[in-house]
């Protein structure tokens, strides 16, 4: 049995579906009650309280660990989740980390994530670490303005990074959960090309079949919007990356190709599959 945390999100949902479709027993974990594919068991648990994962981990052989905001919750003990997994007899953990652990290692959240990676390495379990860069699905921040005004408002219109389709992260995670050859791997996951917000806007317009205007925000305007839904420190971190990506953050990684035997999907594919969000 395989346990998937964050099972209702952009990565966890397709990962849960892919594992179930291959005939594996899957337990989907999310904070609240949720619909899951037929045959999948659902357990509601808060990852900020690792002991609450005991029912989900019973009988599991592998765990996909996606912490999201739980890593940063007051009093969170993410390392304890690895301890709970080991105590339950889990053999393999695939951890969703972040590319920033390598490219910008000194921010608080990245120091915490690096410490969690180290805990996993030292746990005695089989492990794989996935380090994705920016997500194509971050474009959903623009969905409402595209629906209502046919406009994308974003900073740094002509500065890009190689954003990755979350479905590709899910596909890599599935392979790492199921295939022994990936044990001990650290995979940096990016899309196939550097793409700017202006070009992302063009791809969304193509998917819609109607024009979408791009409006460039100042950094201060973008931060004011972002702190409505995230801590100011995280907003600043994100804007630093978007506005001044390092050579390492601009690099197109070969790791998706290495794991899956195919190139990562371009942003235009993601936009076409998710066009309903922008209609």
């Amino acid at each position: 049995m395989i346990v998937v945390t964050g099972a209702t999100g952009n990565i966890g949902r397709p990962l849960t579906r892919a594992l179930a479709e291959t005939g594996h027993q899957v337990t989907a974990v999310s904070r609240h009650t949720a619909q899951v594919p037929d045959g999948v068991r659902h357990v509601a648990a808060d990852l900020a309280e690792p002991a609450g994962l005991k029912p989900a981990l019973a009988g599991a052989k592998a765990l996909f660990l996606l912490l999201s905001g739980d890593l940063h919750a007051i009093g969170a003990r993410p390392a304890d989740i690895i301890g709970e997994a080991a105590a339950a007899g889990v053999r393999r953990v695939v951890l969703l980390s972040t590319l920033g652990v390598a490219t910008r290692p000194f921010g608080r959240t990245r120091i915490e994530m690096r410490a969690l990676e180290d805990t996993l390495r030292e746990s005695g379990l089989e492990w794989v670490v996935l380090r994705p860069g920016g997500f194509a699905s971050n474009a959903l921040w623009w969905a409402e303005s595209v629906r209502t005004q046919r406009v994308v408002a974003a900073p740094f219109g002509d500065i890009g990074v190689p954003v990755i389709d979350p479905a590709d992260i899910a596909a890599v995670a599935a392979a790492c959960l199921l295939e022994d050859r990936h044990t001990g791997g650290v995979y940096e996951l990016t899309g196939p090309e550097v793409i700017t917000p202006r070009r992302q806007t063009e791809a969304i317009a193509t998917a819609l079949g109607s024009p979408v205007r791009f409006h460039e925000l100042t950094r201060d305007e973008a931060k004011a919007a972002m702190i409505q839904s995230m801590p100011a420190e995280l907003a600043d971190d994100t804007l630093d990356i978007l506005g001044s990506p390092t050579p390492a953050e601009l690099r197109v990684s070969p790791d998706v190709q290495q794991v899956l035997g195919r190139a990562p999907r371009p942003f235009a594919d993601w936009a076409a599959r998710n066009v309903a969000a922008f209609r």
Side-chain angles (χ1 to χ4, degrees):
M1 192 257 287
I2 301 172
V3 175
V4 177
T5 63
T8 59
N10 290 327
I11 300 169
R13 184 179 291 109
L15 173 58
T16 298
R17 183 171 58 248
L19 293 170
E21 287 174 351
T22 57
H24 289 84
Q25 290 184 306
V26 182
T27 293
V29 177
S30 62
R31 184 179 283 109
H32 304 294
T33 302
Q35 290 187 331
V36 296
D38 290 343
V40 172
R41 181 175 70 128
H42 180 265
V43 174
D46 185 344
L47 299 191
E49 300 177 3
L53 281 173
K54 288 186 191 315
L57 294 171
K61 65 177 183 179
L63 167 67
F64 176 68
L65 183 53
L66 185 160
L67 293 165
S68 187
D70 295 289
L71 175 63
H72 314 299
I74 295 173
R77 302 179 307 280
D80 289 359
I81 298 173
I82 295 170
E84 293 287 351
V90 170
R91 182 166 57 90
R92 177 176 302 165
V93 175
V94 176
L95 172 65
L96 188 75
S97 183
T98 173
L99 185 61
V101 164
T103 62
R104 297 178 187 252
F106 301 114
R108 179 181 62 83
T109 58
R110 291 181 289 275
I111 290 171
E112 291 172 349
M113 184 59 81
R114 169 70 79 173
L116 186 60
E117 288 186 10
D118 291 343
T119 296
L120 179 58
R121 288 188 182 91
E122 296 162 4
S123 67
L125 301 174
E126 297 176 7
W127 58 267
V128 185
V129 172
L130 307 183
R131 293 177 176 170
F135 288 14
S137 54
N138 288 344
L140 291 172
W141 291 343
W142 308 328
E144 182 178 359
S145 66
V146 173
R147 287 194 304 267
T148 59
Q149 304 171 54
R150 283 296 187 261
V151 64
V152 165
F156 317 122
D158 297 306
I159 300 174
V161 291
V163 297
I164 184 163
D165 188 328
D168 281 343
I169 302 174
V172 170
C176 292
L177 287 162
L178 299 175
E179 299 173 14
D180 292 343
R181 67 188 179 98
H182 300 297
T183 298
V186 178
Y187 294 119
E188 295 185 354
L189 306 180
T190 72
E193 61 179 347
V194 171
I195 184 166
T196 66
R198 198 179 304 276
R199 286 185 54 217
Q200 288 178 281
T201 302
E202 293 169 359
I204 293 168
T206 298
L208 284 168
S210 63
V212 178
R213 181 171 60 90
F214 181 79
H215 171 68
E216 186 155 1
L217 299 176
T218 67
R219 180 183 174 118
D220 286 345
E221 289 171 335
K223 181 177 178 179
M226 293 168 71
I227 61 176
Q228 303 302 311
S229 58
M230 66 176 68
E233 178 186 1
L234 182 55
D236 278 326
D237 270 356
T238 302
L239 290 165
D240 287 345
I241 294 169
L242 295 178
S244 300
T246 67
E249 289 159 346
L250 292 169
R251 172 179 174 266
V252 173
S253 169
D255 290 356
V256 171
Q257 177 83 48
Q258 178 182 339
V259 173
L260 300 180
R262 63 162 175 82
R265 298 176 178 92
F267 179 82
D269 280 18
W270 178 89
R273 294 199 326 272
N274 292 274
V275 67
F278 300 94
R279 290 199 186 282

